[in-house]
Structure formats: C-alpha cells, structure tokens
Amino acid sequence: MVSIEANQTILPAKKFDLVGWVSRNILLIVVTAIIASMVVVPVGRLIISSFQEGHPAFPDGWTLQNYSYALSQPNFVETLGRTFWIAAVGTALSLVWAVGMAFLVERTDMPLRNLAWAIIIIPMAMPGILFAMGWALLLSPNSGALNVVLRAVLSPLGYTSNVGPINIFSISGLIFLDSIRGVTTIFLMVVGSFRMMDPTLEEAAMVSKASRLQTFTKITLPALMPAILAAGMYSFILSMESFEAALAVGLPGGVFVLSTMIYFTTRVQAPIDYGLAAVYGVLFMLLMIGLLYVYRRMIRHSERFTTVTGKGFRPRVISIGRWRYAALAAVGFYFLISTALPFAILLWTSLLPSYRAPSFEALNLVSLQNFAKVFTSPELIETVWNTLVLMLLTATATMVLAFVASWLIVRKHGSAVVTGSLDFMVFMPLAVPGIVVATALMVAFLTPPLSFTGIYGTIWIVALGLAISYLPFCTRLMNGAIVQIHKELEQAAYVSGATVFQAMIRITLPLLFPAFAAGWIWVAVHTLRAFAIPLMLSSRDNKVFAVFLWENWEQYAPNAAAMGVVLIIALIPLTLLLRRFISQLSRQQG
Amino acid sequence: MEVNITGLGKDFDSFGGHVAALDNVNFNIERGEFYTLLGPSGCGKSTTLRCIAGLETPDRGRISIGNMVVADRGVFVPPYQRPIGMVFQSYAIWPHMTVFNNVAFPLKHGHRKVSAPERKRRVMDVLAMMQMEHLADRPAPYLSGGQQQRVALARALVSSSEVLLLDEPLSNLDAKLREDLRIEIKELTRHLGITSIYVTHDQFEALAMSDRIAVMYGGKIVQEATPVELYTNPVNDFVAQFVGRVNLFDASVVEDAREGIGRVETPYGTWRCAMPAGFSKGMSAKLAIRPESLTVAPPERAGGGNIIEGQVKKLVFFGEAVECQVQVGQQTVMTKLATNIPVSVGDPIRLEFETNVCRLLPAAGAPARSVPVKLAS
C-alpha cells in the first residue's frame, strides 16, 4: 500500500451548535442521564449526608463533625486495621492454594486433572453466606461437629475442656474462611497464564544449564509473577469488601470489619446514625478507589511481561513422580474444606429437628420435616416469588443498559466528552462495595426528593442496587463482544434502509446474543446468591430468599440449613451453564 | 441518477485543531456513469464515498443525488433515507441470516419496504441475475469469499436504487476471482444502467472498469479524466507514478517547442520530446516515460534519436514479457522486453523512445518527495 503524508491544512476550531449537538447525541444523552442518576445521584447523596448534621431528611446544617467523630474513635481505626489484616493474610493463603493448584493442574502429571479442575471451581455454586454458616456449624466452640470430634481425639492426650479447641468466631476463623473463598477467583485468573506460558522460555533456561528447580524459581515464577500479583490484588479488593463471612462468623465473635460495621450502624443500632454511616461509606469508597488504582497500575505494568502469546501450544508437563498422589490428596483436602464439609453439615442439620453433632444416636432423628415445614410456609412462597421477579428484573435491566451503553462507548457514537464520562460512570461502581451502594440508596431514597418515588422498601430498590453493582462487569463483557462485530455490518443495515434503532435490534443484538445471554445468566446467578444488598435494603415486602434464609438462621438453624441445601442444588446447574457459556464466548473471542 | 458534489469538506480532530480530510472536492457524475475514486490510503476517497452514503457527516459543501439534496448547510439526510445501495470492503454479510434474508433486508425496512410476495419475487430475480438462486436458503457463513461478495452486490442492487456505491469491494479476494468479478460488476452496472461510484487503490481495477477516474491525494482531486487520458496524459508526476509505472528524469528545456516538439537536457542525454504549451527554454521539468515505451535500439543506429545507454541490472521473467531493470547513471530505468530478445545481466544496453510517447511534466508535482509506487498485484 502506498503511504504518503497528506499536505494537511489546520483549520480554526468550529463553532458550537447546541440544538444540532443535542439532536445528534440524543440516545447518548438519554443513556448517560439514566446511568448518571443510577450511579452519581446515590453516591452524591451519600457524600452530602456525610457532611450533614442530624437526620438526612431534616438536616440541621453542615458539619465536619461526622468525620472528626469517626476518625477519633479508636474503634474505627482498629476496624480498618483489622479489615486490612484479615484480607491481606487471607489473600496470601488463597494465593498459595490457588497458584499451587493451578501449577498442579496445568503443568504436572498429577492424576485426575480434569476432575481437579471441576472440583476447584465448584465452590462458585455455594453462596458465601451458606459457606460461612456451614463452618459455623462445624467449628462453633461448644457444639461444632469438628470440635466434638477433635475433643474426642484429644481427650486421651489430656484435653479436658468441653469447649474448643477451635473457635471459628474469631479473627483467625475469619481469615480461614476468607482464604478458602479467594481460591476460585485467583485460580481462574492465573490458570490461563500457566497454560499459555511460552515453553521456549523454560527450554532456553534448561539448555543454559539451569536445573529444573532453578528454572522454576528463576524463570517460570518471575514470568508469571505479574499475573499472580494482579490476581492477588483483585482478590484482596474482594476480600476487603466481603460481608457474608464477617456477618455470620465475625459478628457473633465480636469481630467487626468495615462492612459489618456499616451494617451494624445502619441496621442494628438504634437510632440510626446516618451521618456516621455515610462517613464510613465515603471512607470505604475512597479506600477502594485507591486499591483499584493500584490494581489498574499493576495490570498495565503486567502487559510488558506478556507471556501469553496465543500460539496454542501445550506447555511441557513436569513429572512429579510419587508426589503425584500427595498432590491429589491436597486437592482432595481443598475439596473437603471448601465444599464437602460445609455442604455435608448443612445437609445433616437440615435433617434434624434441632442441631446436634453427627452421631449414630442422632441418626434416629433424621427426617424431612424441616423441608416440609419450610416449603409450606406462606412467607417462603412470597420470598421465592420476590426472588424470581428480582432476578428477571435485574438481569434484563442491567443487560439492556449495559448493551446500549457499551454500544455507545465502543462505536463512539456522538460526543467524545459525553462518551468518555459514560465510560467512566459504568466503571465507577467497581469502587463502591455492595454495602456502600445499599447505604447510599438508603440515604437517597429515604429522604426528599427521592423518597416521593416510593420505591424504598420495594423490590425495585434492591434491583437498582444490584444493577449498579453488576454494571461494570456487564459493560466490560459487552464491550468485548461489540468490538468483535465489524462496524460495516451495522452500516450495511443503514444503507439498506434500517434506522439506527432497527439496525441495533435486527443486526447488533442477534449477533451479540451469546454474550448477552452469558451476561444475563451471570446477573441472574449473582442475583440469586446476592446477600449484602438485599439484606441492607430489606423490609417487610421485598424480602428475597437469601434474606429469609438469614432470618431463619438467626432463629432456628435447621430451617435455614434446609433452605440452603435447596439453594445450592438450584445453583449448581446454573453455575455449570454459566461456565459453559462464558468459556464458549472466550473461545470465540480468542 | 446523477450525483453532484460541490465544495465538499470534512475535518478530523487532530492535536487540538482540525485537519482537513477532504478539501473542496467537486465532481459531477452523469446518469449511468461508472465513476472511480482512485488514490493511496488516507487520500480521502473512502471518506468521500461515505459522505455520499451518509455514513459520515460532511463539514462543508453540498451533495445531491438526482434532485434530492442529501447534505448541505443545515441539511443532512440519514443513510437509510438515501436512494443508494452500497457494497463494503468487508462484504458486511450478516452471519445470522440466510442468503435470502440478507438480500431481502433492504425491502423490509424504510422507504423501500414492499409486500412479502413482491419481496420474494425481487430477491429471487436478483439472485438469478447473480446465478445464486440455488444458494438462497444457505446460511451466510457457509459461503466462499466470492459468493459473499455476490450476495453483497445482490443486496445493494435489490432495491433498484439508482446509485451504487462500492468501497474497495474486491480487495479481499484472490487475484483470479478479482479479475472475474471486475468484469462481472462492470457488465452488470452497464446492463442495469445504474450510476456507480467505485473506490479503489488499485490502478488496474480503476483503468479496466471506469468511464471516468478521479485521482485523489491529500483530500483533493488531483486529476479527473478518462482512463486513457489519465494514463497517457497525467497532469503531474504523482499521477504518472500512481497510475501505471513510469520512469522519471529530471530535465531542463534547452529548445522551445516547434510544431509541438522541443528539446530537453537530462543527465543522460539531450532528447527531443513532445512539449505542451507552457514550457519554455530554461525551465526545469520532469520527463515521464512508460516502461513499455522504451525499446532496445538496433546497434546500427548511431546518434540522432532519443537514446538511453546503460547496463542491465536485473531481469524478471513474467511469462508474457521480461521486466528489465537498467542502471543508467544513478538511476534505475524500467523497461519491458519481449521474451525473445537476448539480454543477460551485466550486458550494456541501448534503449530508445519516440518523441511522442514521453510526457513533459511540471518540475514540482503534488508530492515534494518521490512516491513509492504500488506494483501490480
């Protein structure tokens, strides 16, 4: 091809024509306005409340007192440190597990590697709240099933106490749960780099007379380090805002983290100190922005280290000899603590009239009574109905918004400034933890003018909160898919007589269907297991399954266990379906 | 339908200012004419076409199709209301539809919507014309490149729009298919009497298909002419180099034209050549000679004629001819020889040319530096 620099003329800047600009950008303006009111309004209201005295509906004036009060409380500073500590240690442990298993599954001759793959991602089907409940039943200091067993084993050695030896309601208990929960996320993020790593990097080291161990520590690990650190950072961010374990295990033991502190301030303590809750929310958000900034820098940095070349080679498999069985045992142990034990104890509890540690005598009491009781309660029918409505509403609304927003962002239709701000706004909720989204919505919709919409206390506000949280993921997913669709496919529709809207419905959307469906199922699954936002925003009429389950847990564990068992069984096929959809999609896009 | 473009201009944002991508482009296309916009990438040819289609909004100027003004100050008719059909470089065949549904799409939307039986009849007619009836129910992804391009053409023609826009439609096809489709498109548009605007960077396509060609460069039309006129009478060295291959020599006029023939001096000899008006003694110029205009001079001829002496540097066998690169002083001169002429690398060689086959061009052409010319592909 010939390339010549055009002898270009620089012209003076054009005049601005407002009416023409608005008419050309009408779709962009409408979508940006919707997303701004979803994202910016509640967050803005939260920030305003943090500077207000008194109840946000009848503020007494402006003040910095909320901030000075929060920051002068030793409680707050301690909680902040504790949250960091738990997330940091938990993530470090998850990294060891996840990287170790990724290595075993992808690079060694460990037997049953395909089964191991499935085992490692199965915990995705277990909502965090049920995982935490399961471990509370296993390791509560008095009657936890594992503690009973341990006491029996240890009594010949002189252990006489009838509590312990392990107390899950503690910082170490929380770290333990956090470390197991992080494994799947990190594993899925790093396993690809293990698979795709260019084997010539290692071969070059070996022909340079490096031993196998030296090759691994000096070449393989450093080459994968950026990917591993980025995954660790991502998991750390998720740990910082995790709520379920902190609620089910931390709260009973008096171990507060940031998210449970906000929950306590807004939902338990009376009267509610909205100003203080707002301050906590704002500070939490600032912290997340900082962490996300670090994360973004890390992934930008990691691109220089790209080891993934996309040449579909199979990396060399390392023979680990007799250690193969030890490795398999380790993966089996992971399965036991991440899935099998918590599920087994939930199942066991759900079959008994009241909780007791597993024993042969207790077997006589086993019945399906709890299931019968739970599933005939009228309240349950209402919550199941609420959950289904919420699921359909959230998945559809989020995906339609994400589709249109992504289309505008990727196709750069219209004003660059507005498109840029739209892109920023759909990314922003990533920095807002679910608990803070809920707090912001509470403050915003309990006070005028938004209180007049009357959506507080309905299923709509829960859908709104979830949609805000899921928007970043869904728009990233749609961005990736839209980039794959050649612009000319849409332009061919325009010159064939279709309007922009018709082309979107008849051409773009059908071509995007796999990605759209994957996103829809992703949102649906996450809505089913969502906990923090529905709980924070729950009231009499908008209770969903997970919230109802939690209320039962607080009163009568066997009922909650029965509901949990049913929820997990419903989630397993959905999760598998989602995995298939997403892996198909990434194969198409790869 | 005739297409008229007046003072067309478009700017692209660049480094805080605006850079003119199109600068005062004017042309008028007659009804039924095959008009080609030819130029290197970035010259503005595609942007011009996309302005006509309505896929880009021009910043200045006026575009009319037939008696419909589609773009002017304060007027912008969106693409779906313009009487056009368009074929894209990527084919843009919708993969989620069958061949039939792809072709039927323009008859289902907008101002060209027709009833279902009428639609079926017209789609099958146009598919028959393209000899693709048997593929009507085939899903679009199961088509070869050439078939996809035919579907794209059928889709552009089905609505009987009177203006057909073609944006490098053949550039993704292999050489043989490209030649076949070149002829097919030309025949079809002539048969239908449709006005066609064709964008390409391929000089051979442009020369073979067009009634008229506009050579574009830097957002402007440099020359507008028939293919023969363009090839034999380029206005400057850029056009000479871009359309076909050419040897260029720095020259200065040493003798004014007498009966159209003058004399120029070059580093390699003083030659007699056709000299258009506007050149006079002492002016510097560029002398352009096409490779096929150079022939091997018989040894018996002594001086007097236009002789270039050099040494054979390289021979490339092309089947029907041999391309011969001759080192002449600092310059490499290209010529095309019949395969039966006995030359080998290193031989001294004498080339000659007729006074009326060379072109004298202004010294300062459009581009300041020489342009690498795309070879036949």
Side-chain angles (χ1 to χ4, degrees):
Chain A
M1 202 53 235
V2 186
S3 63
I4 317 173
E5 279 169 41
N7 43 348
Q8 294 159 333
T9 339
I10 304 285
L11 303 165
K14 281 178 281 186
K15 277 196 203 119
F16 188 73
D17 157 32
L18 183 68
V19 179
W21 184 85
V22 169
S23 68
R24 262 180 283 126
N25 293 296
I26 189 74
L27 183 64
L28 179 61
I29 293 168
V30 169
V31 171
T32 309
I34 292 175
I35 290 183
S37 57
M38 279 172 69
V39 176
V40 178
V41 168
V43 170
R45 188 67 188 86
L46 186 75
I47 295 172
I48 291 172
S49 298
S50 74
F51 291 105
Q52 280 175 332
E53 239 172 319
H55 191 279
F58 326 100
D60 299 331
W62 301 102
T63 178
L64 283 172
Q65 221 186 341
N66 295 326
Y67 283 90
S68 58
Y69 177 71
L71 293 171
S72 66
Q73 264 195 315
N75 186 10
F76 173 74
V77 183
E78 269 169 38
T79 305
L80 191 64
R82 194 181 303 120
T83 311
F84 249 108
W85 173 244
I86 292 171
V89 180
T91 304
L93 293 172
S94 325
L95 269 172
V96 173
W97 267 115
V99 172
M101 289 198 294
F103 175 73
L104 289 175
V105 168
E106 287 298 333
R107 301 298 308 275
T108 69
D109 58 350
M110 183 182 82
L112 302 175
R113 276 174 295 163
N114 283 335
L115 182 67
W117 238 105
I119 279 174
I120 294 164
I121 61 170
I122 263 190
M124 281 174 52
M126 190 185 286
I129 190 69
L130 293 175
F131 175 73
M133 287 176 182
W135 275 101
L137 292 171
L138 286 165
L139 281 179
S140 77
N142 295 316
S143 55
L146 284 182
N147 271 332
V148 171
V149 173
L150 279 173
R151 284 201 293 267
V153 171
L154 291 176
S155 67
L157 302 170
Y159 189 89
T160 51
S161 166
N162 55 359
V163 289
I166 301 173
N167 180 8
I168 192 75
F169 304 122
S170 62
I171 290 190
S172 17
L174 216 46
I175 290 175
F176 166 70
L177 295 185
D178 192 51
S179 69
I180 301 302
R181 293 300 301 170
V183 173
T184 313
T185 315
I186 300 178
F187 176 82
L188 287 174
M189 284 176 82
V190 300
V191 76
S193 350
F194 270 91
R195 178 182 306 173
M196 307 279 264
M197 186 175 160
D198 189 343
T200 55
L201 292 180
E202 290 175 359
E203 284 160 7
M206 289 199 205
V207 297
S208 311
K209 311 246 177 344
S211 73
R212 193 166 287 169
L213 185 67
Q214 281 172 327
T215 306
F216 186 75
T217 54
K218 297 247 163 76
I219 304 295
T220 314
L221 265 189
L224 294 172
M225 219 19 131
I228 293 171
L229 286 180
M233 187 65 202
Y234 183 77
S235 177
F236 176 74
I237 293 174
L238 292 185
S239 296
M240 285 290 294
E241 46 175 277
S242 81
F243 174 65
E244 284 91 338
L247 181 69
V249 164
L251 226 47
V255 181
F256 278 90
V257 294
L258 274 177
S259 58
T260 42
M261 201 166 70
I262 293 176
Y263 172 75
F264 194 80
T265 316
T266 52
R267 298 286 306 194
V268 180
Q269 184 182 283
I272 302 168
D273 188 343
Y274 285 100
L276 190 60
V279 167
Y280 289 156
V282 170
L283 294 177
F284 202 172
M285 214 160 57
L286 289 177
L287 184 64
M288 285 295 132
I289 290 171
L291 290 174
L292 272 173
Y293 176 74
V294 175
Y295 174 66
R296 298 274 283 189
R297 281 195 69 101
M298 280 169 82
I299 42 179
R300 197 178 57 192
H301 183 70
S302 75
E303 270 159 19
R304 272 195 288 150
F305 272 85
T306 311
T307 51
V308 180
T309 58
K311 287 186 209 161
F313 38 58
R314 182 85 208 146
R316 104 187 5 250
V317 164
I318 298 165
S319 170
I320 51 172
R322 262 179 302 167
W323 289 100
R324 295 161 67 197
Y325 300 101
L328 190 62
V331 175
F333 179 68
Y334 168 76
F335 176 64
L336 212 60
I337 58 176
S338 68
T339 317
L341 282 178
F343 182 74
I345 195 74
L346 283 176
L347 189 62
W348 171 256
T349 308
S350 72
L351 297 171
L352 291 183
S354 64
Y355 172 75
R356 51 179 70 205
S359 63
F360 286 108
E361 308 94 81
L363 264 178
N364 296 324
L365 300 167
V366 164
S367 75
L368 289 173
Q369 262 184 12
N370 294 322
F371 288 89
K373 204 164 56 189
V374 163
F375 288 97
T376 48
S377 95
E379 219 184 338
L380 183 99
I381 296 169
E382 199 190 314
T383 58
V384 168
W385 175 248
N386 280 344
T387 310
L388 289 178
V389 171
L390 181 71
M391 195 174 92
L392 295 177
L393 198 66
T394 312
T396 310
T398 311
M399 285 313 295
V400 168
L401 262 181
F403 165 59
V404 181
S406 288
W407 187 80
L408 288 162
I409 291 165
V410 174
R411 291 294 189 239
K412 299 190 171 59
H413 263 267
S415 157
V417 179
V418 184
T419 313
S421 60
L422 181 62
D423 196 12
F424 174 77
M425 280 192 293
V426 296
F427 180 71
M428 202 174 90
L430 213 54
V432 192
I435 206 96
V436 179
V437 169
T439 311
L441 287 176
M442 264 169 93
V443 176
F445 283 89
L446 275 173
T447 59
L450 287 176
S451 56
F452 300 120
T453 58
I455 77 163
Y456 187 84
T458 67
I459 207 81
W460 292 87
I461 196 165
V462 184
L464 180 61
L466 294 175
I468 294 169
S469 308
Y470 299 153
L471 209 48
F473 176 84
C474 295
T475 45
R476 296 302 115 170
L477 183 74
M478 293 312 273
N479 283 357
I482 292 174
V483 167
Q484 307 288 317
I485 294 175
H486 201 300
K487 251 186 181 175
E488 289 187 349
L489 289 171
E490 287 164 6
Q491 293 174 344
Y494 306 152
V495 297
S496 299
T499 60
V500 172
F501 183 70
Q502 283 171 330
M504 225 160 146
I505 301 298
R506 294 290 313 277
I507 306 296
T508 320
L509 197 55
L511 290 174
L512 278 177
F513 181 75
F516 192 91
W520 199 95
I521 299 173
W522 187 91
V523 177
V525 170
H526 280 76
T527 305
L528 265 189
R529 41 186 294 180
F531 183 65
I533 289 176
L535 180 69
M536 284 285 285
L537 295 172
S538 71
S539 57
R540 202 165 38 81
D541 296 328
N542 67 357
K543 223 169 272 170
V544 297
F545 196 75
V547 173
F548 186 52
L549 189 153
W550 175 250
E551 286 179 351
N552 272 283
W553 169 257
E554 286 181 314
Q555 289 157 11
Y556 185 58
N559 276 352
M563 291 166 69
V565 168
V566 173
L567 184 57
I568 291 171
I569 290 170
L571 276 169
I572 286 173
L574 275 172
T575 309
L576 292 178
L577 186 71
L578 180 66
R579 281 300 308 163
R580 245 186 67 175
F581 250 108
I582 296 211
S583 68
Q584 253 172 17
L585 211 63
S586 57
R587 216 172 305 138
Q588 270 175 13
Q589 294 182 359
Chain B
M1 238 180 243
E2 65 178 32
V3 176
N4 184 280
I5 288 184
T6 320
L8 189 67
K10 172 140 185 90
D11 309 331
F12 284 132
D13 293 328
S14 163
F15 307 110
H18 298 283
V19 171
L22 292 179
D23 189 4
N24 193 22
V25 171
N26 297 286
F27 54 80
N28 190 58
I29 304 172
E30 300 293 324
R31 192 192 174 108
E33 194 176 13
F34 199 113
Y35 191 85
T36 297
L37 299 168
L38 173 69
S41 63
C43 72
K45 57 189 191 302
S46 278
T47 308
T48 307
L49 192 78
R50 293 165 61 79
C51 283
I52 300 172
L55 297 172
E56 304 266 5
T57 322
D59 292 315
R60 290 174 300 282
R62 183 172 179 280
I63 302 174
S64 64
I65 302 176
N67 44 23
M68 180 187 201
V69 176
V70 294
D72 199 351
R73 181 178 292 272
V75 178
F76 182 78
V77 178
Y80 48 89
Q81 287 169 1
R82 299 188 182 197
I84 50 168
M86 185 164 176
V87 179
F88 292 84
Q89 184 172 13
S90 67
Y91 319 132
I93 296 301
W94 299 304
H96 59 303
M97 297 181 186
T98 60
V99 167
F100 183 92
N101 284 333
N102 261 282
V103 178
F105 191 91
L107 302 178
K108 280 187 197 164
H109 295 89
H111 60 110
R112 292 170 288 208
K113 194 169 173 169
V114 296
S115 68
E118 165 77 358
R119 186 158 67 221
K120 184 166 169 53
R121 187 185 62 76
R122 281 171 63 177
V123 171
M124 291 318 286
D125 280 355
V126 75
L127 284 178
M129 192 166 74
M130 312 297 299
Q131 286 143 36
M132 292 193 74
E133 289 159 293
H134 60 292
L135 296 176
D137 295 323
R138 187 171 289 194
Y142 297 98
L143 296 175
S144 68
Q147 285 168 336
Q148 288 196 38
Q149 197 51 283
R150 282 197 180 84
V151 173
L153 200 54
R155 184 177 62 194
L157 293 172
V158 74
S159 56
S160 312
S161 298
E162 288 183 64
V163 176
L164 178 62
L165 307 176
L166 302 114
D167 188 5
E168 308 224 13
L170 304 181
S171 60
N172 285 337
L173 299 173
D174 62 58
K176 178 79 183 78
L177 203 55
R178 191 155 46 188
E179 271 173 40
D180 293 346
L181 272 169
R182 208 186 275 171
I183 298 163
E184 215 174 298
I185 292 176
K186 173 74 182 163
E187 290 293 307
L188 201 65
T189 54
R190 181 175 298 163
H191 170 73
L192 295 171
I194 193 169
T195 308
S196 310
I197 309 178
Y198 192 94
V199 161
T200 184
H201 64 263
D202 184 326
Q203 34 159 334
F204 295 105
E205 248 167 61
L207 293 174
M209 300 173 80
S210 319
D211 295 323
R212 259 188 321 150
I213 299 171
V215 179
M216 291 189 72
Y217 177 72
K220 293 183 175 124
I221 292 183
V222 184
Q223 186 174 9
E224 186 190 52
T226 64
V228 175
E229 174 76 4
L230 199 65
Y231 191 77
T232 55
N233 212 351
V235 293
N236 60 23
D237 53 349
F238 168 71
V239 177
Q241 281 181 307
F242 196 75
V243 180
R245 307 174 67 189
V246 74
N247 298 300
L248 286 174
F249 298 94
D250 289 326
S252 62
V253 179
V254 292
E255 200 180 298
D256 283 343
R258 198 181 305 146
E259 288 165 17
I261 304 291
R263 193 183 281 275
V264 294
E265 191 186 339
T266 71
Y268 315 113
T270 304
W271 301 325
R272 281 156 55 74
C273 69
M275 190 175 290
F279 287 97
S280 58
K281 191 170 169 180
M283 280 175 78
S284 53
K286 273 189 158 50
L287 189 68
I289 311 169
R290 300 280 181 202
E292 66 272 19
S293 302
L294 290 168
T295 51
V296 177
E300 63 270 20
R301 196 170 300 170
N306 292 332
I307 298 291
I308 305 174
E309 288 187 332
Q311 198 179 29
V312 177
K313 189 173 133 193
K314 202 173 183 183
L315 290 167
V316 185
F317 182 65
F318 272 113
E320 77 272 19
V322 174
E323 183 191 280
C324 177
Q325 297 180 11
V326 179
Q327 191 67 41
V328 179
Q330 300 295 310
Q331 205 169 334
T332 303
V333 172
M334 300 280 198
T335 177
K336 237 179 192 174
L337 302 178
T339 48
N340 55 4
I341 297 179
V343 284
S344 44
V345 174
D347 286 354
I349 191 168
R350 280 155 50 88
L351 301 169
E352 66 171 357
F353 61 94
E354 302 288 324
T355 52
N356 58 350
V357 296
C358 56
R359 264 328 122 199
L360 202 58
L361 303 170
R369 57 197 172 81
S370 78
V371 177
V373 175
K374 187 181 186 300
L375 299 180
S377 49

